[in-house]
Amino acid sequence: MCTTIQQNLAEVTQRIVNSANHCGRDPKEITLVAVSKTKPVSLIELAIQAGQRRFGENYVKEGIDKIIHFSATPFANQLEWHFIGPLQSNKSKLVAEHFDWIHTIDREKLARRLHEQRPIDKPPLNALIQVNISKEETKSGVSTSELLELAYKIHKFDRIKLRGLMVIPAPEKDVTNQLATFTHAASLYKQLKAHFDGIDTLSMGMSDDMPAAITAGSNLVRIGTAIFGERYYS
Ligand SMILES: *Cc1c(COP(=O)(O)O)cnc(C)c1O
């Protein structure tokens, strides 16, 4: 049986391939994280059946409920859970204990807590620094000028593995403008790579701006709506 989720995943995968081919990149370089926030485990299950293994969640409790649910299934060891929402320091322990990745480190205090709270029987927590690339006052993320300083601090925490950067640009319909912002992010990523070993992940691109992100060099896209449909918040 071919489900909508399965079809959507196939379409998104095809769009990734097309975008990569269009700019001469190898599509295999690009990782797809399926953003399942607000969506029930039944839909995640369909995505898993269709072969998807990496999922992104924004809310601590909801994400952990899902991780625990799937930890009792045969797929448990194959799944990779990415925390992609803003994180209050007082909720860091649950993320340190349950997730494989965090995309939203933007301050030393949060990184230090995650480092101290990461369980010893787990590998270091994979981490991305979120950069406030559009300089939005209300948005989380470190400023571009403070990025390297924060990276040096995080790099010292051995229970955290700094892997790269994540950005969420301000909504922008014009593809040329999207591309300019993503290209700026890609240049910061290159800088980071030049300063530290082990930097290999540039997380950018969502349902509405994925092609521009891939053109600029993204190697991890976070796609929700195009896979699971619109989100309804109660
Ligand atoms: C919700 C969310 C996404 C997915 O957005 P879509 O437009 O539904 O693809 C990606 N990244 C982050 C950080 C999100 O919060």
Side-chain angles (χ1 to χ4, degrees), residues 174-214:
D174 183 86
V175 175
T176 310
N177 293 340
Q178 289 176 359
L179 194 56
T181 304
F182 285 136
T183 303
H184 182 200
S187 75
L188 296 172
Y189 172 66
K190 278 197 200 106
Q191 258 183 45
L192 199 66
K193 240 173 136 64
H195 279 83
F196 303 99
D197 290 334
I199 303 296
D200 59 6
T201 305
L202 178 55
S203 167
M204 59 188 194
M206 319 204 304
S207 294
D208 289 335
D209 57 13
M210 189 183 77
I214 290 175

Side-chain angles (χ1 to χ4, degrees), residues 101-172:
W101 284 74
I102 176 166
H103 290 221
T104 50
I105 292 188
D106 60 0
R107 56 202 190 276
E108 185 186 13
K109 181 185 174 192
L110 177 59
R112 181 187 300 279
R113 288 178 64 95
L114 290 165
H115 158 74
E116 288 168 356
Q117 294 163 339
R118 182 69 171 169
I120 232 53
D121 61 333
K122 295 211 170 193
L125 180 64
N126 295 293
L128 304 177
I129 295 178
Q130 181 178 357
V131 180
N132 185 355
I133 197 77
S134 302
K135 300 192 173 71
E136 292 174 283
E137 274 182 22
T138 56
K139 282 286 163 65
S140 28
V142 68
S143 68
T144 54
S145 59
E146 290 164 333
L147 168 62
L148 278 183
E149 197 187 324
L150 178 61
Y152 272 104
K153 288 174 181 159
I154 294 176
H155 205 68
K156 296 201 180 88
F157 298 138
D158 60 9
R159 300 299 295 147
I160 289 182
K161 192 168 175 188
L162 182 62
R163 301 285 295 265
L165 298 184
M166 179 272 226
V167 297
I168 310 173
E172 168 64 63

Side-chain angles (χ1 to χ4, degrees), residues 20-117:
N21 286 341
H22 192 70
C23 58
R25 295 184 60 197
D26 181 353
K28 290 198 209 68
E29 284 173 12
I30 299 155
T31 297
L32 170 61
V33 171
V35 176
S36 43
K37 63 178 179 228
T38 79
K39 299 297 176 181
V41 291
S42 56
L43 292 189
I44 299 176
E45 173 107 39
L46 290 176
I48 293 172
Q49 280 166 14
Q52 181 63 29
R53 294 292 181 265
R54 297 178 172 93
F55 294 91
E57 289 285 338
N58 289 55
Y59 311 104
V60 176
K61 180 166 189 315
E62 179 191 338
I64 285 166
D65 286 348
K66 289 171 179 173
I67 294 173
I68 289 172
H69 171 89
F70 285 103
S71 71
T73 68
F75 301 104
N77 293 329
Q78 299 171 33
L79 300 180
E80 196 176 273
W81 295 95
H82 293 242
F83 189 81
I84 63 171
L87 182 58
Q88 292 170 355
S89 294
N90 63 7
K91 293 193 181 158
S92 61
K93 188 159 186 274
L94 290 166
V95 170
E97 287 176 348
H98 293 275
F99 280 84
D100 303 297
W101 284 74
I102 176 166
H103 290 221
T104 50
I105 292 188
D106 60 0
R107 56 202 190 276
E108 185 186 13
K109 181 185 174 192
L110 177 59
R112 181 187 300 279
R113 288 178 64 95
L114 290 165
H115 158 74
E116 288 168 356
Q117 294 163 339

